Every structure is written in C-alpha cells, then in structure tokens.
Amino acid sequence: MNSGGLICQQCKEPLQLDASLVDLAPSAYDMIVTSAPPAQSSSHARLTSDADKLAALPANSTVKSAWQKSKSSALSSLSVRAQGKQPEHGALSPHESFVLLQDSMIRNIPSSPSSPRAKKGLMKARSSPTKSPTSPPLKPAPDQPNPSPLSHHLRSTTRLFNFLSSRTDIDHPLCAECTQILLTSLQRQLDETKKERDGYIAFEKEIKKEREREGRGMTKEEAERKIDKLKAEERLAIEQLLEVEREREQLDEELQLLELEEKDLDAEENEFWRAHNEQVLSIDQQTAQLATLRAAYAADSATLEKLERTNVYNDAFCIGHDGVFGTINGLRLGRVPGVPVEWAEINAAWGQTLLLMYTIARKLDYTFENYRLVPMGSFSRIEKATGDKSNYELYGSGDLHFGRLLHNRRFDIAMVAFIDCLKHLMDHIKSQDPSVDFPHQVVKDKIGDVSVKLQFNQEEAWTRSLRHVLLALKICLKWATNGANG
C-alpha cells in the first residue's frame, strides 16, 4: 500500500515505507540530520538575501518577527535542497507580498480553538447573536492528550527525504532495487577510484626515484668516460655482428649443400621403400605358400602316421588258432583224426605261410643261402639254390596211388626246407635284437621237439608242429613291423 503517495525518484514506482520510518523518533531524526553532508551555499545566500530584504523594509520589529516566524514555518516543511530549488526573483511576486499590520491588530487576532468542542461552542455563539450578553462564558475543555496523527509522521518523513535530497546528488526516496543498483554503482566507482589512487601513488614513487637519480647526476668526466666505454662496446658489438654475418653466410652455403644431399637421400629413401614394399609383398606371398605347404605337410604327416600305425601285415596275414589247429587267414593248417580237413585248405594255408615268410625276408632285406622261396598260392614250392637246384612242392594230395608216396616224400623235404629257412630267419632276427625270444627252437626237421614230416608221423604231432611254425612266423612278423626295422 502506498504511504502518503510516495514514489521512487528513479523508477517512479509507489513505495511502502519501512516501519522504522513511520514513527521516527526526534533523536533519530537529529542523528540523521547531523550525519548528513553540509548544505549547499546557494540556499544560504538566498536566505541571507531574504533576511537583508526584510531588514531593509520600514516596518515595526514586531511585524517583522511575526512575518519571520510564518516564513520559517512555511520553509520548515521543505528540505534545504527543495528550498534551494525554489525560483529566485529579484522582486517579490504579488502572491509573496505582505501587508504591515499594526500592533493593535496583531494583539486582537484570536487564537485558534484548542479542541473541536471549543470550535463548536464558538460556532454556536456566532450563530446566536440575539442572546443576552449576560450569558455565562464558555468553559474551556479539559486538556486531553494530543496523539501524533499520521499526517504529522508523513510530513516528518517528507521533510527528512527533502533534507537528504538537498544534501546529496540523489533524489529521495528510493526503492530497495534502485538502492541496490545505486550501491553497486558507488562500489564500482569506489574500486576504480582506489585503482586510480594506487596508480597515482606508484607514479609519485617513480617521480621521486627519478628526481633522486637526477640529484645524483654524473660529472662531465664521468659522462665522457661512460661515452667512450659505450663506443668501445659498440665497436665490439659491430665486429661480433660482422663475424656472425660471415658465419651466417657459411651456414647458408652449408644449408644449400645439405638441402641437395637431403633431396638425394629422399630419392634413395623412396627407392629403398619401394624395394622394401616389394620385398614385403614377396615375403608375404612366400609366407602364405609356406603356410599352405606346412598345412599340407601336417595333414600328410598325420595321414602317414595313421598309416604307419596301421599294420597291413596283420590284416594280410592274420594268424590265429581254431581248436588244435593253427590258422592263417582262416585256413586251417594240419589234420587230426575225427576232424577231416581238405587238402585244398591245407595247401592254401601252406601257400599263405610261404608267402608270409617270403614277405618278412623281403622286408628285412634278407636272402636265404640254400633255398629260394616261390610262393604260388596252393601250388607253392621251394627251390634249392645250390647243387642240382631241385624243386620241392609245398602241397600235398589225398589220392591213393603209388605216386602219392613219392609226392609225400617231396612234400616232407619241402617242409624240412621251410623250417630250415625259418631257422635262418630266426637267427638273423636274434642277431639284430637279442631280446627277441622264440618259445620253440628249430633243430633239423623238428620245431619244439616235434617233427614237421608227415610220413611216419602222427597227425596230431604234425598239426602241433605246424602250429609252432605259425607262432614263430607271427613273432618274426611282429618284430619286422614294430621292431628296429618297422
């Protein structure tokens, strides 16, 4: 709510007075007035001129004092600055003229009633002039306390604002925002003034130092000596400069030579990097080829290792047994009573047995001295390598005729020649690896104390001797494939 129509003198917005200014104590008012800066000289000059004018008028002193009181009471409602802003006139205007009153007129001026009741009584007395003059006079109203009205506080606050406006360059009152802006501006001005003061102080110190140096001035002789010294230093500096320029020219020539060398080196470097790149590409290609070959080699090595672990001889010559018979690739070798074995099966088994010993000797690169093996399946034979080079058939027949006896005799000679070759092969293997152990030894026509001849021999013994032959061949085959020569 606006307090008595006060507005900010900067932003022209209505103001709400602070509670401390609504009821300002006289002591606070006096303290503010005494702390304000001194008043401007123009207002004092104007007041002095008014007093001189009043003293120059031909009037009674009582009239002058009454006019002075009324003038001072009128001016007291304005601040000094507001009074200074009043227009100054060389002569009094018509509304400022005054009339000189006599003492009798001043004494007869009635005083203003002190209370509304007195005013009412006065009005009543004026309204009834016909009453008897002997009516009793009005009794004065008893004295009542006179509280300070709001208008009095507003006038006091207005006088304070006018007083502050007259003593400073800023019009009052101000709102809080404008006051903050004003304080910020004044603080900035204060900082700038401090900086300017510091600059002046520093400049003053420099001036003092300069004056002290001037006070300690050199003599003429000292100045001449200093000039000679400076000239000598100048000549030395010029000589050094010339020397530096000559060195610079030499360095420029060296720089040109170095630039030419740099160009040659750049060309060589480019050629080197070109050759290097070609070499790197070639190495990459060779590396790729090598990786391919290594991969193929690894695959082939794995295949070879797998094949080496695979014993084809065991698959080609599978030696086992079937009851009392020794078998090779499922073919029984031998005969026993009660189990008729065809001679075709026996001859085929002998052909596989002869082929097995021939394969082992070939793998071991061993050559028999007395005989030559001729594997021909069911009709295999053994040839004598020395002497008459006779042929002995390694197969039999079940025909009942006289020639059968002669054939069986040749068959027995062939079987004896076979175990003789087997004995030499066993001795060769033992000479290569003494750790090889054969369970049955070969002595002439016997192996394991059993003869391999069919004539004049029991079929069970003949079958057992053939089983010993197959066992010895199996040991030889195992050593030939897995031993030192495997």
Side-chain angles (χ1 to χ4, degrees):
M1 181 177 179
N2 190 6
S3 298
L6 295 177
I7 62 174
C8 177
Q9 298 300 313
Q10 294 293 331
C11 61
K12 305 303 180 182
E13 293 292 333
L15 293 178
Q16 176 68 36
L17 288 178
D18 189 79
S20 60
L21 295 176
V22 173
D23 191 7
L24 189 64
S27 60
Y29 184 89
D30 294 339
M31 182 178 65
I32 294 173
V33 170
T34 55
S35 63
Q40 299 178 359
S41 60
S42 60
S43 60
H44 290 286
R46 187 174 58 82
L47 292 176
T48 304
S49 62
D50 291 341
D52 294 340
K53 291 179 180 180
L54 182 61
L57 292 176
N60 193 0
S61 60
T62 306
V63 176
K64 292 181 180 181
S65 61
W67 184 86
Q68 185 70 28
K69 288 180 181 180
S70 63
K71 184 67 175 180
S72 61
S73 62
L75 290 175
S76 62
S77 61
L78 297 176
S79 64
V80 178
R81 183 175 181 180
Q83 295 172 12
K85 294 179 181 179
Q86 296 294 328
E88 297 181 1
H89 304 283
L92 294 175
S93 59
H95 66 277
E96 291 178 345
S97 62
F98 53 89
V99 179
L100 296 178
L101 300 178
Q102 300 296 327
D103 293 338
S104 59
M105 296 176 66
I106 294 173
R107 285 193 298 269
N108 292 331
I109 294 175
S111 61
S112 59
S114 61
S115 64
R117 182 176 296 179
K119 290 181 180 181
K120 185 176 180 181
L122 181 60
M123 293 296 294
K124 187 175 181 181
R126 290 181 180 177
S127 61
S128 56
T130 57
K131 283 188 177 183
S132 173
T134 60
S135 60
L138 294 174
K139 296 181 180 181
D143 294 337
Q144 295 180 357
N146 187 13
S148 300
L150 180 61
S151 60
H152 172 72
H153 294 297
L154 292 177
R155 284 195 301 270
S156 176
T157 305
T158 303
R159 286 196 302 271
L160 178 61
F161 288 148
N162 292 334
F163 177 78
L164 294 176
S165 299
S166 64
R167 293 297 181 92
T168 62
D169 295 335
I170 302 164
D171 293 334
H172 292 274
L174 296 175
C175 62
E177 290 79 2
C178 295
T179 303
Q180 186 63 35
I181 294 172
L182 177 62
L183 291 176
T184 304
S185 177
L186 293 176
Q187 183 64 35
R188 184 170 59 254
Q189 293 178 6
L190 177 61
D191 295 338
E192 293 176 356
T193 305
K194 287 182 179 179
K195 292 180 181 179
E196 187 176 358
R197 181 202 61 184
D198 296 338
Y200 284 140
I201 292 174
F203 181 73
E204 183 182 6
K205 291 180 179 179
E206 291 295 331
I207 293 297
K208 289 181 179 179
K209 291 181 180 179
E210 186 67 24
R211 289 180 179 177
E212 291 177 359
R213 286 195 295 268
E214 290 178 357
R216 298 194 301 268
M218 296 183 295
T219 62
K220 182 178 180 180
E221 295 178 355
E222 292 177 351
E224 290 178 353
R225 285 195 298 270
K226 187 174 182 179
I227 290 172
D228 295 337
K229 182 179 179 181
L230 292 175
K231 287 182 178 180
E233 292 178 356
E234 182 182 6
R235 287 192 298 271
L236 180 60
I238 291 173
E239 292 177 357
Q240 293 178 354
L241 179 60
L242 294 175
E243 182 66 23
V244 170
E245 288 180 352
R246 286 192 295 271
E247 292 180 358
R248 179 185 175 185
E249 292 177 356
Q250 294 178 358
L251 292 175
D252 290 339
E253 294 177 357
E254 293 178 359
L255 180 61
Q256 292 178 359
L257 295 176
L258 291 175
E259 288 178 353
L260 295 176
E261 292 180 1
E262 183 181 6
K263 291 180 180 179
D264 296 337
L265 291 175
D266 289 339
E268 292 179 2
E269 183 180 5
N270 294 332
E271 181 64 23
F272 167 77
W273 284 116
R274 186 187 62 79
H276 174 73
N277 293 334
E278 292 179 355
Q279 185 68 21
V280 168
L281 292 176
S282 177
I283 291 174
D284 291 340
Q285 293 176 358
Q286 293 178 0
T287 303
Q289 293 177 359
L290 179 61
T292 303
L293 293 176
R294 285 180 176 175
Y297 174 77
D300 295 341
S301 298
T303 304
L304 177 61
E305 184 179 358
K306 183 178 179 181
L307 293 175
E308 287 178 348
R309 287 196 304 267
T310 303
N311 193 347
V312 296
Y313 297 100
N314 291 334
D315 296 334
F317 305 99
C318 182
I319 298 175
H321 65 89
D322 184 6
V324 296
F325 299 102
T327 61
I328 179 170
N329 293 335
L331 300 174
R332 291 173 292 184
L333 188 62
R335 300 186 74 178
V336 293
V339 182
V341 179
E342 298 293 335
W343 277 103
E345 183 178 353
I346 295 172
N347 294 335
W350 267 115
Q352 293 291 322
T353 304
L354 184 64
L355 179 62
L356 173 58
M357 190 166 63
Y358 175 81
T359 303
I360 294 173
R362 186 176 179 180
K363 181 173 179 59
L364 297 177
D365 196 16
Y366 178 76
T367 303
F368 298 104
E369 297 179 357
N370 299 324
Y371 299 96
R372 187 173 69 88
L373 305 180
V374 183
M376 296 179 64
S378 298
F379 301 97
S380 300
R381 66 180 185 271
I382 298 177
E383 295 180 355
K384 196 173 182 180
T386 60
D388 56 358
K389 296 183 181 182
S390 302
N391 292 327
Y392 302 103
E393 295 82 3
L394 193 60
Y395 55 89
S397 175
D399 296 336
L400 298 176
H401 54 81
F402 179 75
R404 177 175 178 271
L405 297 175
L406 297 176
H407 179 75
N408 288 340
R409 182 174 178 274
R410 295 175 64 84
F411 181 44
D412 288 341
I413 295 173
M415 288 188 291
V416 172
F418 181 86
I419 65 170
D420 183 69
C421 293
L422 179 60
K423 181 179 183 303
H424 286 84
L425 183 62
M426 292 167 60
D427 293 340
H428 174 71
I429 292 174
K430 282 186 176 181
S431 65
Q432 298 293 327
D433 187 3
S435 63
V436 179
D437 184 21
F438 292 96
H440 305 98
Q441 300 298 323
V442 177
V443 180
K444 295 183 179 181
D445 62 341
K446 294 181 180 180
I447 179 170
D449 298 333
V450 182
S451 177
V452 295
K453 290 182 178 181
L454 180 59
Q455 286 184 339
F456 312 109
N457 195 2
Q458 296 180 357
E459 290 182 347
E460 293 86 350
W462 181 62
T463 302
R464 187 167 64 252
S465 65
L466 297 181
R467 190 168 65 245
H468 294 167
V469 169
L470 291 177
L471 179 59
L473 287 174
K474 186 174 183 179
I475 294 173
C476 293
L477 177 63
K478 182 178 180 181
W479 186 87
T481 55
N482 298 327
N485 296 285

